[in-house]
């Protein structure tokens, strides 16, 4: 009997798994894909929001501000890239200046520390490349950028290290209520669980409706982005927002923790699973971004992508127990979901405790993680690392300076990746300007070797995303 | 009159070949173009480059070529014939893989050195 | 050899052991540099030539037609006994302006090597899907042509069964033929421009030979597929290269190969503070391939993308020789500098600057034009004066041009500037 079954390995599910792994409990997370963080978690703005956007009194406001406060320490503990950049919301006319003032007061009400409204001169001293049309800006020093997928992976890994379980390739197909709790069919397996938490992201309504009558619907909203080369990474130092509208927080320009520049997103209704980019969407992003920051060189674009916001017909996050006792949800998590995830997880643990989950701490819990990032080491540390393990002397990804040692290490951590992109999310290989053109085949070979599978079976990312169709010269033609 | 682009060298001369007058070639900037122009109409040929399997080496495939032109019509049969060829490392550039390949009067030769893999 | 024993001071360090690095190192050695080192990131020398198993290399340099590995082999076979040191599987992480090279490998660990002169020969990389923002889904099955070439020719894996190629650069054309011969169906080659950027001979022997259609003035406007590529939409483009609605064609395929341009790989050069040319994406160089940092030279595709390896060899020999002379005799004394300007129709020139005192009998200028031209004249001018004219029947962006200027002409340059431009023949006469 599982104490808590979490459905969904996005940043919310993984945060909860991590939180619960400190207690003497049998906790299992089921994820439909072959890795955690494959939904919205891997395709979003990667911002730790300060918390001036949500309406005071909402769950969003509370979790955002709490999550922001927890994030830096959490990232330190788990060795997740985090950079406190601060953010600016730019106003270009009188109406927008009023919005900035509103956000300032809302932020104060929400308990956001350090907010200031800046003059054009102050803005340009901080950010010389913002448009000279700017009239005022809200400065939030507590905003930060982060690696969202690494936050999810690090928490999942550390939870597994502490005895929690992650079951991949395990889509939930049926659930029923039983005497003691629930019977959940996932990936062909039947799991009995006392408590179930639905953290299924864009799919949360489908999972919800397996046990409850429909009460909300997810209307995914797609956002498209440009990721630019590190040559553009210094263009701005802070997250640069425009004034929010009914369309969302608008197009932002932000440095990433990996040193690149992120530009986007737009907002458009989309089907579940549709993460394609469109010419119109990309044009819109470029056009809007040009209003805030001049001189973005899109010739240095290295990737475009789109992600889905799990917007629902409800204003606020849906966090708590459903009408079926013991069936909880972390649903409708749109922005600022990433920021809120640690605080939601903490609150969910409290709620589960109140519902009767015994929260007895493990004596030997180790909530920290340490990974080697060769690129970040000093010359001396590098020399020592290579001496200890010659695999660190072999650069596999030349754009991002990722060594074979780091890749092999990732493949032997508690939640090993099985795909080229899985390694990319953990190590950063293939994230650079050549986008895996040079290192992809090498990474694939290392995965095959370390996991003992044929290279032809190593996927690009999700199951079915095969790279190789066969071998040449095998006595039969390819067709 | 037939118009061709010469493939003898990267220059890519625009050739005119007069089929009625002994395949006289104009537009070429070197004698090799004249030879090519006629041959392309009478009996088009190509050098085939590909790979064959190699075992025990630092690589799994070694690149090969025909050391002379073969008829265009023989390119696919030749590829077919390479499917089951296997070499053993070490291989040196110029090593003959198959003599008188498919009876076409050319040899299939290795174009790459593949050293023995150290275990 | 352990790290402490290693002699770390070199006359010439060559960064990259592809065709450029090999030629530069051999020439440096022959010019008299004593300690020459090649640092190569792969496990073997030869660079991209190792995967270019097709023939057509070496007609200029060796006067015979070789495959890529054979061309590289001609240089590699000269290394044993030459006294040139080679470190393979070695990555250079940083080059400092005082010519310290930070490099690492599994065997020697982290090294800081110093050199009297450095030659940068890191080559180039391919533009990716992200660089050109092709809309659509993100399935597997989208490769740069070079990545596919590595899989097929070196690793022995096929990457697709039904293939569409975007871009008609030479690698794309070559891969159209390779994939076809290996049993795949290549549905077409789609080119945004109204002309191909590949060599004419490759259109003939890689596309026409196999009845593969070339769609000029077309581009990919959508890629569909959840896991692997399933369908690709191709549209005709107008003169501004914008897709024309209503002209969509759909191709059912599992693979897209991209041959959409090459970018010199200059992260090390930029980090070292070398002045770059925004047009070539490579370092600005003088007549002897010296960069803005005295004693640091560059040649081959890291300076500007070449069509023919033979020209890479020639350019790199120039760089290697100059690097050896620098190591032996020190810096070129300051003297007159002539700036080579890009005139009408000219996209870039290499070198960008000429020091006449360094020029022997003549200096070669390489350049590319910005469009396809017929019956034109290349003019070299200074101020109002025409210094030289060269007729050309045909010029195209895909074909690098070379002109040879006698030293005497350079002496006529006024205000330290000459300009290379291309004009219609009719206007010129």
């Amino acid at each position: 009997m599982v104490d808590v079954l979490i459905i969904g390995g996005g940043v919310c599910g993984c945060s909860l798994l991590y939180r619960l792994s400190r207690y003497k409990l049998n906790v299992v997370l089921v994820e439909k894909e072959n890795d955690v963080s494959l939904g919205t978690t891997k395709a979003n703005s990667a911002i730790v929001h300060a918390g001036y956007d949500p309406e005071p009194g909402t769950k969003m406001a509370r979790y955002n501000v709490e999550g922001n406060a927890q994030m830096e320490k959490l990232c330190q503990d788990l060795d997740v890239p985090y950079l406190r950049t601060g953010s600016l919301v730019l106003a270009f006319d009188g109406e927008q200046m009023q919005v900035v003032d509103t956000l300032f007061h809302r932020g104060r009400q929400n308990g956001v520390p350090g907010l200031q409204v800046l003059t054009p001169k102050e803005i340009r001293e901080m950010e010389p490349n913002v448009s000279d049309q700017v009239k005022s800006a809200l400065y939030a020093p507590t905003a930060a950028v982060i690696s969202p997928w690494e936050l999810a992976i690090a928490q999942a890994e550390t939870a597994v290290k502490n005895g929690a379980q992650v079951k991949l390739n395990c889509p939930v197909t049926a659930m029923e209520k039983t005497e003691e709790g629930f019977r959940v069919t996932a990936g062909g397996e039947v799991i009995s669980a006392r408590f179930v938490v639905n953290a299924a992201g864009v799919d949360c309504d489908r999972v919800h409706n397996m046990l409850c009558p429909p009460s909300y619907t997810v209307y995914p909203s797609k956002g498209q982005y440009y990721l630019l080369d590190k040559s553009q990474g210094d263009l701005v130092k802070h997250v640069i927002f425009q004034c929010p509208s009914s369309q969302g927080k608008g197009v932002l320009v932000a440095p990433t923790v990996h040193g690149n520049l992120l530009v986007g997103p737009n907002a458009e209704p989309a089907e579940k699973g549709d993460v394609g980019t469109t010419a119109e969407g990309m044009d819109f992003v470029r056009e809007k971004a040009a209003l805030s920051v001049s001189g973005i060189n899109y010739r240095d674009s290295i990737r475009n992508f789109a992600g889905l916001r799990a917007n629902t017909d409800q204003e606020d996050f849906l966090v708590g127990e459903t009408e079926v006792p013991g069936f909880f949800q972390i649903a409708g998590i749109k922005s600022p979901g990433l920021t809120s995830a640690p605080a939601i997880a903490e609150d969910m643990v409290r709620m589960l405790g109140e519902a009767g989950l015994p929260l007895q701490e493990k004596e030997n819990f180790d909530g920290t993680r340490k990974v080697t990032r060769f690129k970040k080491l000093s010359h001396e540390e590098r020399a020592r690392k290579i001496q200890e393990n010659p695999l660190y002397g072999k650069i596999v990804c030349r754009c991002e300076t990722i060594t074979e040692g780091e890749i092999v290490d990732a493949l032997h951590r508690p939640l090993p990746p099985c795909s080229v992109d899985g390694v990319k999310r953990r190590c950063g290989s293939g994230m650079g300007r050549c986008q895996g053109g040079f290192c992809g085949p090498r990474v694939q070979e290392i995965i095959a070797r370390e996991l003992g599978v044929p290279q032809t079976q190593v996927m690009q990312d999700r199951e079915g995303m095969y790279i190789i169709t066969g071998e040449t010269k095998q006595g039969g033609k390819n067709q | 009159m037939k118009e061709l682009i010469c493939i003898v060298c990267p220059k890519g001369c625009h050739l005119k070949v007069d089929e009625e007058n002994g395949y006289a070639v104009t537009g070429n900037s070197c004698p090799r173009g004249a030879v090519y122009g006629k041959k392309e109409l009478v009996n088009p040929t190509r050098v085939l480059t590909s790979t064959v399997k190699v075992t025990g080496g630092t690589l799994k495939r070694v690149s090969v070529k025909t050391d002379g032109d073969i008829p265009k019509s023989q390119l696919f049969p030749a590829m077919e014939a390479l499917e089951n060829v296997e070499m053993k490392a070490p291989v040196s550039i110029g090593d003959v893989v198959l003599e008188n390949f498919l009876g076409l009067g050319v040899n299939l030769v290795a174009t790459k050195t593949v050293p023995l893999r150290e275990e | 050899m352990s790290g402490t024993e290693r002699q770390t001071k070199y006359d010439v360090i060559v960064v990259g052991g592809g065709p450029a690095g090999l030629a530069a190192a051999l020439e440096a050695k022959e010019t008299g540099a004593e300690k020459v080192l090649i640092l190569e990131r792969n496990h073997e020398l030869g660079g991209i030539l190792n995967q270019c198993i097709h023939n057509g290399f070496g007609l200029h340099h060796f006067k015979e037609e070789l495959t890529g590995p054979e061309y590289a082999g001609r240089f590699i076979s000269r290394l044993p006994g030459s006294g040139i040191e080679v470190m393979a599987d070695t990555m250079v992480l940083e080059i400092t302006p005082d010519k310290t090279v930070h490099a690492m490998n599994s065997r020697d660990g982290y090294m800081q090597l110093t050199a009297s002169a450095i030659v940068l020969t890191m080559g180039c990389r391919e533009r990716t899907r992200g660089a050109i923002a092709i809309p659509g889904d993100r399935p597997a099955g989208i490769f740069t042509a070079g990545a596919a070439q590595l899989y097929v020719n070196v690793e022995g894996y096929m990457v697709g069964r039904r293939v569409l190629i975007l871009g008609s650069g030479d690698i794309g054309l070559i891969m159209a033929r390779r994939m076809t011969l290996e049993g795949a169906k290549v549905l077409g080659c789609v080119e945004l421009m109204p002309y191909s950027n590949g060599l004419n001979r490759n259109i003939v022997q890689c596309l026409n030979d196999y009845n593969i259609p070339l769609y000029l003035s077309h581009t990919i406007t959508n890629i569909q597929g959840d896991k692997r590529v399933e369908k690709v939409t191709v549209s005709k483009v107008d003169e501004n290269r914008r897709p024309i609605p209503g002209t969509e064609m759909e191709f059912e395929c599992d693979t897209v190969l991209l041959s959409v341009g090459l970018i010199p790989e200059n992260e090390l050069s930029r980090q070292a503070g070398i002045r770059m040319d925004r047009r070539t994406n490579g370092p600005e160089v003088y007549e002897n391939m010296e960069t803005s940092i005295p004693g640091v030279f560059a040649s081959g595709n890291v300076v500007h993308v070449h069509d023919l390896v033979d020209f890479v060899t020639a350019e790199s020999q120039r760089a290697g020789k100059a690097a050896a002379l620098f190591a032996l005799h020190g810096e070129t004394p300051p003297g007159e500098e002539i700036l080579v300007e890009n005139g009408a129709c000219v996209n870039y020139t290499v070198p960008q600057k000429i020091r006449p005192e360094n020029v022997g009998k003549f200096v070669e200028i390489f350049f590319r034009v910005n469009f396809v031209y017929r019956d034109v004249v290349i003019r070299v001018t200074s101020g109002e004066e025409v210094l030289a004219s060269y007729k050309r029947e045909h010029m195209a962006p895909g074909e690098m041009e070379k002109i040879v200027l006698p030293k005497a002409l350079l002496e006529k340059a006024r205000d330290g500037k000459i300009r290379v431009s291309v004009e219609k023949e009719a206007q010129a006469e």
Side-chain angles (χ1 to χ4, degrees):
Chain A
M1 183 77 158
V2 168
D3 292 309
V4 183
L5 181 76
I6 302 166
I7 300 170
V11 71
C12 287
C14 292
S15 296
L16 180 59
L17 188 74
Y18 172 66
R19 283 277 167 183
L20 287 172
S21 69
R22 76 187 58 215
Y23 303 107
K24 291 179 179 166
L25 295 169
N26 182 2
V27 189
V28 176
L29 183 151
V30 288
E31 163 57 46
K32 69 174 167 16
E33 303 291 357
N34 63 359
D35 197 1
V36 295
S37 82
L38 286 192
T40 307
T41 301
K42 77 161 184 183
N44 60 77
S45 301
I47 308 293
V48 181
H49 291 280
Y52 47 75
D53 278 300
E55 284 291 343
T58 58
K59 289 191 172 84
M60 279 159 73
R62 187 186 128 205
Y63 292 142
N64 183 341
V65 176
E66 285 178 16
N68 180 296
Q70 294 176 15
M71 199 62 89
E72 187 165 16
K73 167 80 165 55
L74 183 62
C75 289
Q76 270 169 14
D77 286 349
L78 296 170
D79 203 354
V80 170
Y82 169 98
L83 187 65
R84 180 157 286 193
T85 54
S87 68
L88 294 173
V89 183
L90 307 181
F92 295 103
D93 57 33
E95 205 175 312
Q96 293 183 351
M97 287 171 76
Q98 276 183 359
V99 175
V100 160
D101 286 337
T102 308
L103 292 177
F104 174 79
H105 291 291
R106 205 189 279 171
R108 300 270 297 252
Q109 255 181 293
N110 289 344
V112 180
L115 292 175
Q116 285 177 57
V117 176
L118 304 182
T119 65
K121 184 166 170 287
E122 290 170 320
I123 297 163
R124 256 191 312 283
E125 273 166 19
M126 282 170 79
E127 288 290 358
N129 292 318
V130 301
S131 158
D132 52 14
Q133 300 297 306
V134 68
K135 299 281 189 296
S136 80
L138 177 68
Y139 173 52
T142 54
V145 292
I146 191 177
S147 171
W149 52 90
E150 282 174 90
L151 179 64
I153 291 165
Q155 294 189 94
E157 275 184 2
T158 311
V160 171
K161 185 176 79 177
N162 285 290
Q165 264 191 83
V166 174
K167 290 176 185 277
L168 300 171
N169 302 306
C170 233
V172 172
T173 45
M175 280 198 283
E176 58 179 308
K177 183 92 179 89
T178 61
E179 288 272 302
E180 317 79 55
F182 302 91
R183 202 157 36 228
V184 179
T185 311
E189 192 180 345
V190 178
I191 304 168
S192 297
R194 195 168 157 211
F195 293 98
V196 172
V197 182
N198 169 14
V202 173
D203 249 356
C204 62
D205 53 350
R206 189 180 64 84
V207 171
H208 171 267
N209 297 349
M210 286 180 184
L211 282 173
C212 305
S215 61
Y216 62 90
T217 307
V218 172
Y219 297 98
S221 165
K222 185 164 78 175
Q224 306 186 27
Y225 297 85
Y226 277 96
L227 185 69
L228 286 94
D229 185 37
K230 290 184 176 157
S231 63
Q232 301 289 303
D234 285 339
L235 208 57
V236 293
K237 299 268 181 284
H238 304 78
V239 179
I240 308 294
F241 292 103
Q242 292 169 2
C243 277
S245 69
S246 55
Q247 299 298 303
K249 294 194 175 83
V251 170
L252 61 85
V253 180
T256 73
V257 274
H258 302 105
N260 302 82
L261 189 76
L262 186 68
V263 185
N266 67 338
E268 57 186 297
E271 299 288 317
K272 287 181 181 180
D274 170 16
V275 287
T277 53
T278 59
E280 302 74 38
M282 300 313 288
D283 288 348
F284 176 88
V285 165
R286 280 201 315 277
E287 206 176 286
K288 289 290 176 195
L291 301 176
S292 332
V293 178
S294 48
I296 301 170
N297 184 3
Y298 291 94
R299 285 176 61 185
D300 279 351
S301 162
I302 60 173
R303 192 174 184 86
N304 330 115
F305 63 90
L308 295 178
R309 308 168 181 90
N311 287 4
T312 63
D313 43 13
Q314 312 290 307
E315 287 285 310
D316 207 354
F317 290 160
L318 300 163
V319 178
E321 195 164 15
T322 63
E323 59 204 277
V324 176
F327 181 42
F328 288 74
Q329 63 182 353
I330 303 174
I333 306 298
K334 50 207 166 184
S335 179
L338 171 63
T339 316
S340 303
I344 294 174
E346 188 181 58
D347 206 27
M348 182 56 65
V349 171
R350 179 189 59 78
M351 288 185 260
L352 287 164
E354 283 172 10
L357 184 72
L359 300 174
Q360 203 187 346
E361 295 215 10
K362 290 173 184 162
E363 292 82 22
N364 55 355
F365 175 73
D366 176 10
T368 65
R369 183 189 83 136
K370 187 80 201 137
V371 295
T372 300
R373 292 178 215 275
F374 187 84
K375 184 165 53 172
K376 303 276 183 201
L377 301 181
S378 69
H379 298 155
E380 295 72 30
E381 288 168 329
R382 287 175 176 181
R384 203 162 46 239
K385 198 77 203 169
I386 300 171
Q387 219 161 32
E388 276 168 30
N389 180 355
L391 287 181
Y392 284 91
K394 231 180 220 173
I395 300 281
V396 174
C397 167
R398 54 171 93 156
C399 300
E400 296 293 316
T401 319
I402 310 298
T403 63
E404 184 165 353
E406 290 161 88
I407 294 172
V408 169
D409 175 58
L411 287 164
H412 295 285
R413 287 210 292 264
L415 187 69
C418 62
S419 67
V420 173
D421 284 0
V423 169
K424 169 180 167 177
R425 283 186 288 274
R426 285 161 178 81
C427 304
S429 51
M431 279 198 31
R433 45 187 76 89
C434 92
Q435 286 290 297
F438 287 118
C439 68
R442 279 288 290 133
V443 171
Q444 204 189 19
E445 198 185 318
I446 294 168
I447 296 171
R449 185 190 72 206
E450 294 297 318
L451 302 185
V453 296
Q455 193 173 336
T456 46
Q457 283 174 26
V458 177
M459 298 292 133
Q460 180 69 47
D461 198 1
R462 287 175 291 133
E463 214 41 58
M465 292 181 72
Y466 61 92
I467 300 167
I468 294 169
T469 56
E471 287 190 45
T472 65
K473 305 299 182 302
Q474 287 302 305
K477 277 291 171 199
N478 198 250
Q479 260 187 325
Chain B
M1 197 69 87
K2 190 102 179 163
E3 294 194 16
L4 294 176
I5 289 169
C6 183
I7 64 167
V8 168
C9 84
K11 201 168 171 189
C13 291
H14 292 253
L15 307 181
K16 282 188 177 148
V17 188
D18 192 344
E19 297 136 295
E20 262 119 69
N21 283 306
Y23 297 96
V25 176
T26 49
N28 54 315
S29 23
C30 78
R32 303 202 311 148
V35 175
Y36 168 79
K38 178 175 180 186
K39 203 174 61 174
E40 188 64 8
L41 293 196
V42 179
N43 172 31
T45 61
R46 299 286 184 266
V47 166
L48 176 70
T49 60
S50 186
T51 60
V52 298
K53 265 206 271 190
V54 57
T55 55
T58 54
L59 297 167
K60 292 191 291 178
R61 297 289 182 276
V62 59
S63 54
V64 296
K65 71 173 182 185
T66 55
D67 65 0
D69 283 9
I70 64 171
K72 248 172 92 171
S73 59
Q74 292 301 305
L75 288 171
F76 281 102
M79 283 299 292
E80 212 57 75
L82 296 187
E83 283 287 309
N84 296 310
V85 176
E86 197 169 300
M87 295 194 78
K88 279 200 168 58
V91 179
S92 298
I93 294 182
D95 283 0
V96 175
V97 185
L98 293 170
E99 261 179 67
N100 190 16
F101 184 42
L102 295 180
L104 295 167
V106 298
N107 294 330
L108 187 76
V109 297
T111 58
K112 183 151 175 44
T113 294
V114 180
L116 219 49
R117 186 175 56 234
E118 291 167 32
E119 295 299 339
Chain C
M1 197 187 289
S2 87
T4 46
E5 283 168 299
R6 179 172 289 284
Q7 173 61 266
T8 58
K9 171 79 187 165
Y10 291 87
D11 292 322
V12 177
I13 292 180
V14 178
V15 182
L22 289 166
L26 284 162
E27 195 69 18
K29 189 74 194 173
E30 270 168 29
T31 307
E34 206 171 313
K35 288 191 62 66
V36 178
L37 170 67
I38 302 176
L39 297 170
E40 167 56 42
R41 59 191 161 203
N42 281 333
H43 66 280
E44 61 176 356
L45 295 166
I48 208 70
L49 287 177
N50 287 321
Q51 66 185 62
C52 299
I53 65 166
H54 55 281
N55 64 344
F57 300 90
L59 276 167
H60 287 78
H61 192 77
F62 292 112
K63 310 288 174 224
E64 62 179 304
E65 200 161 6
L66 302 172
T67 65
E70 289 174 309
Y71 188 96
R74 294 280 171 106
F75 293 88
I76 295 168
S77 62
R78 285 167 60 195
L79 290 175
S82 70
I84 295 172
E85 206 180 317
V86 176
M87 279 192 221
D89 277 320
T90 302
M91 188 75 190
V92 173
L93 297 180
E94 193 184 343
I95 294 166
T96 64
D98 69 354
K99 296 196 275 290
T100 301
V101 177
H102 293 248
M104 58 177 271
N105 63 36
S106 292
R107 194 181 55 247
D108 307 289
Y110 196 88
M111 299 170 278
Q112 298 188 31
L113 312 167
T114 55
S116 303
I118 294 172
V119 189
L120 304 175
T121 53
M122 290 88 75
C124 59
R125 66 168 176 272
E126 297 175 280
R127 293 180 79 202
T128 63
R129 177 182 183 181
I132 54 173
I134 306 172
D137 297 334
R138 263 143 193 76
I142 303 163
F143 301 85
T144 59
Q149 192 178 42
L150 177 73
Y151 266 121
V152 177
N153 291 350
V154 180
E155 315 253 320
Y157 292 114
M158 275 302 273
V159 294
R161 299 184 181 92
R162 288 174 65 83
V163 185
L164 190 70
I165 298 177
L166 178 63
S168 60
D170 285 313
I171 319 171
L173 300 176
I174 294 286
M175 280 312 289
R177 175 176 63 184
R178 260 312 272 151
M179 296 291 284
T180 305
L181 284 171
E182 288 292 346
K185 172 81 184 157
V186 178
L187 305 175
C189 179
V190 178
E191 170 60 56
L192 179 68
M193 304 302 286
Y195 52 83
S196 164
N197 274 316
L199 297 170
N200 269 331
R201 69 184 317 220
N202 285 336
I203 306 253
V204 174
Q205 61 183 356
C206 297
L207 298 185
N208 300 354
D209 271 7
Y210 302 94
N211 300 314
I212 300 168
L214 172 62
Y215 299 98
L216 296 174
S217 296
H218 281 74
T219 195
I220 292 180
T221 44
N222 196 17
I223 294 176
Q224 286 166 267
D226 176 35
K227 291 171 175 163
R228 179 83 186 193
V229 175
E230 288 163 22
K231 196 188 279 181
V232 173
T233 309
V234 171
S235 303
K236 202 171 171 23
V237 297
D238 62 20
E239 57 273 22
N240 299 316
R241 298 182 226 160
R242 300 291 293 186
I244 305 169
T247 61
E248 295 82 3
M249 296 184 281
E250 289 198 333
F251 293 87
E252 304 221 342
C253 55
D254 59 16
T255 306
V256 176
L257 298 189
L258 304 176
S259 177
V260 292
L262 300 167
I263 307 167
E265 203 158 55
N266 274 295
E267 281 61 45
L268 288 172
S269 325
R270 285 200 187 87
Q271 186 193 36
I274 289 169
R275 194 157 54 235
M276 305 295 292
D277 183 339
R278 285 182 56 187
R279 293 159 183 264
T280 55
N281 278 313
E284 277 183 19
V285 290
Y286 288 102
E287 70 297 324
N288 62 355
M289 306 312 290
E290 192 166 11
T291 68
S292 64
I293 299 182
V296 178
F297 301 79
S299 68
N301 283 349
V302 81
V303 176
H304 58 137
V305 176
H306 294 64
D307 328 312
L308 298 179
V309 70
D310 305 72
F311 289 163
V312 169
T313 300
E315 185 177 285
S316 302
Q317 287 174 330
R318 203 139 34 91
K321 182 176 179 182
L325 292 175
F326 187 99
L328 295 169
H329 309 301
E331 211 164 316
T332 307
E336 190 199 351
E337 282 186 14
I338 296 173
L339 186 68
V340 184
E341 294 182 323
N342 305 310
C345 311
V346 172
N347 260 356
Y348 74 78
T349 66
V350 168
Q352 290 86 346
K353 287 176 177 175
I354 299 170
R355 295 170 293 203
E357 286 158 51
N358 259 11
V359 173
K361 288 200 188 84
F362 57 82
V363 61
E364 289 176 344
I365 297 179
F366 294 89
F367 67 96
R368 283 183 196 271
V369 289
N370 59 2
F371 203 77
V372 179
Y373 298 103
R374 284 207 161 273
D375 299 322
V376 286
V377 179
I378 303 164
R379 294 259 192 254
V380 180
T381 54
S382 185
E384 298 295 301
E385 192 186 352
V386 177
L387 303 182
S389 304
Y390 310 80
K391 279 191 188 182
R392 291 286 188 277
E393 273 176 32
H394 179 256
M395 297 183 86
E399 294 163 24
M400 196 167 76
E401 277 296 332
K402 180 175 89 168
I403 52 174
V404 180
L405 292 186
K407 183 172 185 172
L409 276 186
L410 293 175
E411 281 154 15
K412 294 194 202 164
R414 256 174 282 157
D415 302 327
K417 284 179 191 166
I418 59 172
R419 174 179 289 261
V420 179
S421 46
V422 171
E423 296 168 17
K424 268 269 171 236
E425 199 161 18
Q427 285 172 286
E429 268 151 31

